Amino acid sequence: MDMLSKTAFLGVELLKKDCPEICNYKDNEIALLFANNNSSAQTDIKFQETYKDGGIPSPSLFVYTLPNIPMGDIAIRNKWYGENMFTVAESFDAEYFSNYCNILLNKNAESALCGWLDVNDNKIEAFFFFVTKKDLKQLNLQFGLKQLSEIFESN
């Protein structure tokens, strides 16, 4: 497992520990929405280096040369088969997450597990959050841009 996948995997496990109600949702009721800035560049470079001096490319690295692989690892581990999206953006975009979560929750998803997950050289950024349709309906809210920006900035 590459560092991006390890970070995602451990981050989601910690979130599940702090938010055990995640496990109460059916396997198709949780959407996954992740983003980062560097795609899978760290692993891409390592994979490219396996070619040097006539080396044989590493299949164990190749599998991690797509940024959405961490979501696959998480989905398989938890048997979550809802909609998923991984995007690459310049920086954390609260508006994007807010808008996309509202779309997901107004369609088929009952909840959305989201994360900004960026790994580059020796720097790791990981920010995960869980939004449910039920909570938004009970509070009569839309998942808001302002509150998400404030939470991200405080971490």
Side-chain angles (χ1 to χ4, degrees):
M1 205 180 270
D2 72 341
M3 188 56 70
L4 187 66
S5 289
K6 287 178 185 177
T7 304
F9 192 87
L10 291 173
V12 170
E13 289 301 306
L14 289 171
L15 184 64
K16 286 176 14 185
K17 185 177 179 183
D18 286 344
C19 186
E21 63 268 17
I22 291 173
C23 298
N24 295 336
Y25 287 87
K26 294 178 185 170
D27 58 5
N28 64 344
E29 292 180 336
I30 297 178
L32 301 176
L33 176 60
F34 286 19
N36 76 8
N37 175 260
N38 291 296
S39 185
S40 57
Q42 189 176 46
T43 302
D44 296 346
I45 292 166
K46 288 179 183 177
F47 180 72
Q48 185 179 19
E49 288 173 357
T50 65
Y51 282 99
K52 285 185 180 178
D53 301 323
I56 298 172
S58 169
S60 64
L61 283 176
F62 175 73
V63 74
Y64 292 103
T65 59
L66 293 171
N68 64 327
I69 297 302
M71 290 192 318
D73 289 337
I74 292 164
I76 291 167
R77 159 90 165 111
N78 295 286
K79 296 182 174 81
W80 293 335
Y81 307 115
E83 185 171 342
N84 64 75
M85 171 67 81
F86 195 110
T87 58
V88 178
E90 188 173 323
S91 60
F92 177 80
D93 185 349
E95 184 175 8
Y96 166 77
F97 278 101
S98 176
N99 290 339
Y100 208 106
C101 278
N102 281 314
I103 290 168
L104 291 169
L105 297 173
N106 285 314
K107 296 291 182 179
N108 298 326
E110 293 297 317
S111 60
L113 193 151
C114 306
W116 172 259
L117 179 65
D118 207 27
V119 175
N120 187 16
D121 296 325
N122 294 325
K123 182 181 175 190
I124 296 174
E125 282 186 344
F127 173 64
F128 297 95
F129 55 97
F130 186 65
V131 182
T132 70
K133 183 184 286 188
K134 181 180 83 172
D135 290 338
L136 295 179
K137 282 184 179 179
Q138 285 177 348
L139 299 172
N140 197 23
L141 295 173
Q142 285 284 310
F143 181 56
L145 169 64
K146 183 180 176 192
Q147 71 189 102
L148 181 56
S149 295
E150 289 172 357
I151 294 167
F152 180 77
E153 294 299 323
S154 70
N155 287 314

